[in-house]
Amino acid sequence: MSTGSDDPVRAFLAMLSAERGASANTLAAYGRDLKGATAVIGDLAGADRAALQKLGQAWGDLAPASLARKASALRQFYAFLQDEGLREDDPSGALPRPRARRPLPRLLSHAEITALFELAEADAAHGDPVAVRLLALLELLYGSGLRATELVSLPLAAVPRDAPFVTITGKGGQQRLVPVGTRAGKALTHWLDLRVAGGRYVFPSPRGGHLTRVRLFQLLRDLAARAGLDPEKVSPHVLRHAFATHLLEGGADLRVLQTLLGHADIATTQIYTHVDASRLVTLVNQRHPLGVTQGQVRIGG
């Protein structure tokens, strides 16, 4: 591509617009980041690794997400310069690489969960198959912590009638056994009794195949609105978070929770420990020798 400009930054932004279809907001954000870097080190196109290291110092007080965005803009800029033959080397390895913190999951309180279930149970009590299906879906999301894809694509063969568990094939084709509680088991049995025969999925689609994730999302949002909750707060993934959070609050072991959720790395499961800090402090106060000894300072006040 011929830039047709003596200003490398302007040429880079033009490329983003023409070749990648970047929006005006994206272009403006990249422009601000590159302009800010120029104010610190001068000529960006000719900057060396030592100059870029100064940016890491200047950006030291930024939030990890802001730092990552600025560094990304510069990395793309230097990759562009190499592609255009304007530089032979890429000094961007000297830029900081912040480890972005995993965002905390959105949470539903016990009261909000209760509101969802009370409405779903009232609807299902009339025996309408659509309502019975929704209650079964809700029970498996919150009661067993299934991912949306795992739930909607659950095959009939994975649901033994005589055992309180289902066999889930999760990410990477890994299989795990997931317990199905008494409540969820009753809801699932009720749905299977009403389900139209045929097909290989527990939750079939009228058009063939299985219920889609989009439709599951829509059903939950509608239920939340009718239950007086903010629909934006409710999704299949949020219910999975609630399953994990409330189990941890109840004393579940983190390794057990990892198995139930199908996490390959326990670091993924540890995101839930933040929600139960008060219980952990209480546990230390009650069980640690300094916490239970009369006259000793108690942790947490």
Side-chain angles (χ1 to χ4, degrees), residues 48-72:
D48 57 15
R49 293 177 63 89
L52 294 191
Q53 288 175 347
K54 296 178 182 178
L55 286 175
Q57 300 169 2
W59 294 343
D61 294 333
L62 292 176
S66 298
L67 182 57
R69 190 197 71 238
K70 289 178 180 295
S72 175

Side-chain angles (χ1 to χ4, degrees), residues 45-107:
D48 57 15
R49 293 177 63 89
L52 294 191
Q53 288 175 347
K54 296 178 182 178
L55 286 175
Q57 300 169 2
W59 294 343
D61 294 333
L62 292 176
S66 298
L67 182 57
R69 190 197 71 238
K70 289 178 180 295
S72 175
L74 281 166
R75 289 191 182 95
Q76 293 183 62
F77 174 66
Y78 287 113
F80 165 77
L81 294 183
Q82 279 192 303
D83 289 342
E84 294 298 309
L86 300 176
R87 280 193 74 128
E88 294 184 357
D89 66 319
D90 180 357
S92 65
L95 291 167
R97 291 181 177 271
R99 184 173 180 177
R101 295 181 60 186
R102 184 184 298 271
L104 299 181
R106 287 181 291 172
L107 301 179

Side-chain angles (χ1 to χ4, degrees), residues 141-200:
L141 284 170
Y142 176 67
S144 298
L146 303 189
R147 297 181 178 94
T149 299
E150 295 170 346
L151 178 58
V152 296
S153 63
L154 186 65
L156 281 169
V159 185
R161 288 278 187 155
D162 58 347
F165 60 81
V166 293
T167 303
I168 299 299
T169 302
K171 292 184 176 180
Q174 296 296 313
Q175 288 194 334
R176 70 186 192 278
L177 289 179
V178 176
V180 176
T182 302
R183 285 171 49 101
K186 289 181 178 178
L188 184 57
T189 298
H190 191 187
W191 162 243
L192 291 175
D193 289 340
L194 295 177
R195 175 186 174 278
V196 176
R200 59 183 293 259

